Amino acid sequence: MLASGSVGLKGRSARTDPGRVSIRPGPRPKRPWPTGSAISAVTLAELAAGPHATRDANERARRQDRLQWAAATWDALPFDVEVARMYGSVFAAIRAARRSGRSRVADLLIASTAASNGLPLYTRNPADFAGLKKLVSIIAV
């Protein structure tokens, strides 16, 4: 399982018991987590930028906590050559669905990571991945 920026993926060894992993903040998923999960390196990059995107000290601390929690909880799947190749197919699928891909590069790179690893993508925002059903299984949580 791969999670998007709002949620992580793959059957590599998760560092926590997947049954106790919850998406922070928010409700637990309606279906159980797979036995292993990971996060895309792209998602980790989004989380790393988060604390720098706010001027509010409390929000910055919350975002830093989320980054540290995610990095300690999930293995990060790298952006590699296979993911880069898959990105072309993902971008083409988005264009065929008459959606813009340029403003959603991070989401499309996360979807490419899931697709190239043959993993489902768990997300709170399934609409962000509309048009990709033929390439990757999108699971709303």
Side-chain angles (χ1 to χ4, degrees), residues 56-92:
D56 181 88
N58 290 330
E59 179 64 16
R60 189 169 33 258
R62 188 185 68 75
R63 291 179 183 187
Q64 185 65 34
D65 179 57
R66 179 179 289 166
L67 167 62
Q68 291 172 348
W69 174 80
T73 300
W74 286 302
D75 294 324
L77 295 177
F79 182 87
D80 59 18
V81 173
E82 295 304 316
V83 176
R85 288 182 184 135
M86 180 57 71
Y87 179 76
S89 297
V90 166
F91 190 86

Side-chain angles (χ1 to χ4, degrees), residues 2-127:
L2 184 73
S4 77
S6 59
V7 192
L9 329 207
K10 183 166 174 162
R12 294 186 182 174
S13 61
R15 293 186 201 130
T16 63
D17 175 8
R20 293 189 309 194
V21 172
S22 62
I23 303 163
R24 293 179 20 172
R28 293 178 59 81
K30 293 178 183 173
R31 62 182 84 192
W33 287 105
T35 55
S37 60
I39 192 170
S40 164
V42 175
T43 299
L44 202 56
E46 287 185 303
L47 292 172
H52 306 289
T54 183
R55 293 180 185 196
D56 181 88
N58 290 330
E59 179 64 16
R60 189 169 33 258
R62 188 185 68 75
R63 291 179 183 187
Q64 185 65 34
D65 179 57
R66 179 179 289 166
L67 167 62
Q68 291 172 348
W69 174 80
T73 300
W74 286 302
D75 294 324
L77 295 177
F79 182 87
D80 59 18
V81 173
E82 295 304 316
V83 176
R85 288 182 184 135
M86 180 57 71
Y87 179 76
S89 297
V90 166
F91 190 86
I94 290 296
R95 292 297 299 243
R98 301 195 185 281
R99 301 191 70 209
S100 172
R102 293 288 180 198
S103 63
R104 304 171 346 138
V105 172
D107 287 340
L108 300 183
L109 292 173
I110 292 165
S112 300
T113 302
S116 71
N117 283 278
L119 300 170
L121 176 64
Y122 284 60
T123 182
R124 284 190 188 167
N125 305 309

